[in-house]
């Protein structure tokens, strides 16, 4: 049984889908995702009629926009200009903020497959990087969620916000498996 907040968010999600407003859909899915657990998020998506992969793509757009400190208005313009699939690929790969107008101008006529070749996945970038700390790629909300989980279930000492401590704790956890 959804809570009042979840019911309100689901109503807004359905309205955004009816309006074909991908940005507001992504924004509401991000709000829903940050307020519930992953398994509940998956079941809510099933209830709404959105595939899990699509939902995660849209949440990822907002997470990447927050990581890069883009204003939401810019992301809305980007999604309207080139679509959410291309926006997801570009934002996932950027390490610093770029001009939205230039991104739209440059990639509007580019195909998705050509865009994937130009912006490799983070996994492909990781293979070429040396000793990257995985926590550097997390948004602040996911970073805090990971810290809470590691502190609660795996005896992570209080990190005082240092990402290298989280990386060490996560490495120790993986080594213990």
């Amino acid at each position: 049984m959804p809570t009042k907040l979840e019911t309100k968010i689901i109503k807004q999600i359905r309205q955004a889908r009816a309006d074909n407003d991908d940005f507001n859909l992504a924004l509401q899915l991000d709000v829903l995702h940050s307020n519930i657990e992953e398994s509940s998020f998956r079941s809510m998506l099933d209830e709404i009629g959105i595939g899990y992969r699509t939902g995660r793509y849209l949440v990822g757009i907002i997470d990447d926009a927050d990581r890069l400190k883009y204003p939401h208005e810019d992301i809305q313009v980007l999604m309207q200009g080139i679509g959410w699939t291309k926006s997801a690929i570009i934002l996932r790969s950027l390490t610093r903020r770029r001009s939205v107008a230039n991104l739209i101008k440059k990639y509007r006529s580019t195909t998705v497959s050509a865009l994937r070749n130009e912006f490799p996945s983070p996994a492909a970038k990781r293979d070429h990087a040396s000793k990257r700390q995985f926590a550097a790629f997390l948004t602040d909300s996911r970073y805090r969620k990971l810290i809470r989980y590691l502190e609660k279930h795996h005896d992570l000492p209080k990190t005082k916000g240092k990402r290298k401590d989280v990386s060490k704790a996560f490495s120790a956890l993986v080594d213990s498996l």
Side-chain angles (χ1 to χ4, degrees), residues 40-158:
S40 300
F41 180 68
R42 186 182 290 262
S43 65
M44 289 286 193
L45 288 176
D46 289 340
E47 181 183 321
I48 298 168
I50 297 175
Y52 179 73
R53 186 174 178 194
T54 301
R56 292 296 300 143
Y57 255 101
L58 291 169
V59 167
I61 290 171
I62 301 300
D63 287 345
D64 289 330
D66 291 344
R67 174 180 57 84
L68 295 166
K69 296 178 177 50
Y70 273 106
H72 285 176
E73 297 80 21
D74 286 353
I75 299 307
Q76 185 173 18
V77 169
L78 182 68
M79 289 176 74
Q80 289 171 346
I82 62 174
W84 66 265
T85 304
K86 290 180 186 179
S87 297
I89 294 168
I90 291 169
L91 292 174
R92 181 178 50 229
S93 300
L94 291 180
T95 56
R96 60 184 172 81
R97 191 165 78 179
R98 294 189 184 166
S99 166
V100 170
N102 289 341
L103 290 173
I104 292 170
K105 184 178 174 182
K106 186 171 182 178
Y107 298 113
R108 177 176 284 157
S109 60
T110 305
T111 65
V112 171
S113 59
L115 197 60
R116 283 193 175 119
N117 290 334
E118 187 166 337
F119 289 101
S121 71
K125 287 192 324 187
R126 181 190 65 234
D127 293 340
H128 298 291
S130 61
K131 297 183 180 179
R132 292 209 182 236
Q133 296 177 359
F134 83 96
F137 294 101
L138 295 175
T139 62
D140 287 337
S141 63
R142 290 179 184 266
Y143 172 69
R144 287 190 302 273
K145 194 173 191 178
L146 177 63
I147 287 176
R148 284 193 308 270
Y149 178 82
L150 291 174
E151 286 173 345
K152 184 176 181 182
H153 298 289
H154 298 285
D155 301 319
L156 174 71
K158 296 294 180 185

Side-chain angles (χ1 to χ4, degrees), residues 25-51:
L25 178 60
L27 202 57
Q28 295 306 318
L29 286 172
D30 183 57
V31 170
L32 181 65
H33 182 262
S34 62
N35 286 311
I36 61 176
E37 296 295 320
E38 192 69 28
S39 59
S40 300
F41 180 68
R42 186 182 290 262
S43 65
M44 289 286 193
L45 288 176
D46 289 340
E47 181 183 321
I48 298 168
I50 297 175

